[in-house]
Amino acid sequence: MLKPIDNITKAAENISINNLNERIDMKGPEDELKRLAATFNNMINRLQDSFNRQTQFVSDASHELRTPIAVISGYVNLLDRWGKNDKKALEKSIYAIKFEVSTMADMIEKLLFLAKGDSGVLEMNKTRFFLNKLIDEVIEESRLIDKTHNILSEKNQVVEILADYKMIKQMLRIFIDNSIKFTPENGNIVLDSVIKEETIEMTISDTGIGIPKEEIERIFDRFYTVDKSRSKDKGGTGLGLSIAKWIVDRHNGNIKVLSGEGKGTRIVIKININNM
């Protein structure tokens, strides 16, 4: 009678941070002990998944930070050897170092956001506000920052929603910034908002270079970029879209991406108006 309990005890003792592969044998009758074993195994599965994601996250972060650090180190060594006496080399080195520092600062800020989100310490402050006014604000600010694209709204219906104002604004700016990066000069970037029953549908459309269809499912993965060399030139870290999706998920919404190479991109975000 006590053997199943012994099996559970031994399995629990064998599990450690370096060994999450141990599972309890669930053979036997459908009784309380089998349900306990199933619950225990499910808990370990969740722990293993969480640990694997954390390990991958740390590995990716270390890899992404290694490049800018190596670049900065290279330019510092160049200046130390002879570059400080060469005005052209000095200016080039200062520009490159400032760029890499800016990239690292942006990456670290985004990493902290995601780390807080994953740990559950990032609190949401939901209030009621008019989404149409927020969209007007985002468009106006985007036009001030970028004057090489046509940023506009064709349909922005008046609607009051319950959500975290700062997070929704951050999410919209991420998508707008992404469109700016990959849309040729004088291209169009349109941010629309339409009410559909109890749902608000926000759409960000651009006339950019688009995303290959086989890559669409991965664009929200952390540190993933469709073209790393292209994204590096434009200051991409592969974290912005991950943050945007996290914000949408926390508002119980969903995202649909419609795109193709050379066909532009259309992002559709749906969130319940009375989001709780």
Side-chain angles (χ1 to χ4, degrees), residues 61-269:
S62 300
H63 176 76
E64 293 296 326
L65 286 169
R66 188 179 297 120
T67 300
I69 290 172
V71 171
I72 291 172
S73 177
Y75 276 108
V76 168
N77 288 333
L78 182 149
L79 291 172
D80 186 50
R81 290 197 306 271
W82 56 270
K84 53 181 174 289
N85 298 319
D86 185 326
K87 186 177 179 181
K88 189 174 181 180
L90 181 62
E91 290 178 352
K92 182 180 179 181
S93 299
I94 291 173
Y95 174 82
I97 291 171
K98 286 174 68 177
F99 177 82
E100 296 300 338
V101 168
S102 175
T103 299
M104 283 198 298
D106 178 62
M107 186 187 303
I108 291 169
E109 184 179 343
K110 289 174 178 176
L111 285 171
L112 287 173
F113 182 98
L114 290 169
K116 288 180 179 178
D118 289 346
S119 62
V121 300
L122 191 61
E123 295 183 359
M124 296 181 68
N125 181 26
K126 289 187 178 181
T127 58
R128 303 201 71 88
F129 61 90
F130 284 95
L131 179 63
N132 53 295
K133 290 184 179 180
L134 172 58
I135 289 176
D136 288 339
E137 184 179 322
V138 170
I139 291 174
E140 183 179 352
E141 290 176 354
S142 299
R143 285 173 176 170
L144 289 172
I145 296 169
D146 177 79
K147 299 183 183 300
T148 61
H149 297 88
N150 303 311
I151 305 172
L152 64 148
S153 179
E154 295 176 342
K155 196 168 187 179
N156 186 16
Q157 293 185 333
V158 177
V159 59
E160 188 179 41
I161 68 170
L162 177 64
D164 187 302
Y165 183 91
K166 290 183 178 179
M167 285 191 182
I168 294 297
K169 184 175 183 178
Q170 183 179 10
M171 178 266 294
L172 291 175
R173 290 186 66 174
I174 287 170
F175 285 122
I176 292 290
D177 289 345
N178 207 60
S179 290
I180 289 172
K181 286 179 183 178
F182 301 112
T183 300
E185 287 189 11
N186 300 316
N188 295 330
I189 300 170
V190 182
L191 172 55
D192 286 340
S193 174
V194 179
I195 302 170
K196 293 191 175 180
E197 296 180 352
E198 293 297 314
T199 302
I200 187 69
E201 184 175 290
M202 292 168 277
T203 306
I204 301 97
S205 306
D206 64 49
T207 54
I209 59 178
I211 307 166
K213 290 184 178 179
E214 64 273 13
E215 305 279 358
I216 289 176
E217 291 185 0
R218 298 196 60 191
I219 64 171
F220 295 109
D221 293 349
R222 296 175 185 182
F223 295 106
Y224 184 80
T225 52
V226 176
D227 185 334
K228 287 190 177 293
S229 61
R230 179 186 69 179
S231 298
K232 178 64 176 176
D233 292 338
K234 296 180 180 294
T237 61
L239 290 172
L241 293 180
S242 299
I243 291 175
K245 187 177 186 304
W246 185 91
I247 291 172
V248 174
D249 289 343
R250 285 297 301 269
H251 285 82
N252 301 316
N254 61 76
I255 305 175
K256 185 176 182 180
V257 181
L258 303 170
S259 186
E261 288 186 273
K263 298 180 180 178
T265 300
R266 180 181 173 87
I267 307 286
V268 182
I269 304 128

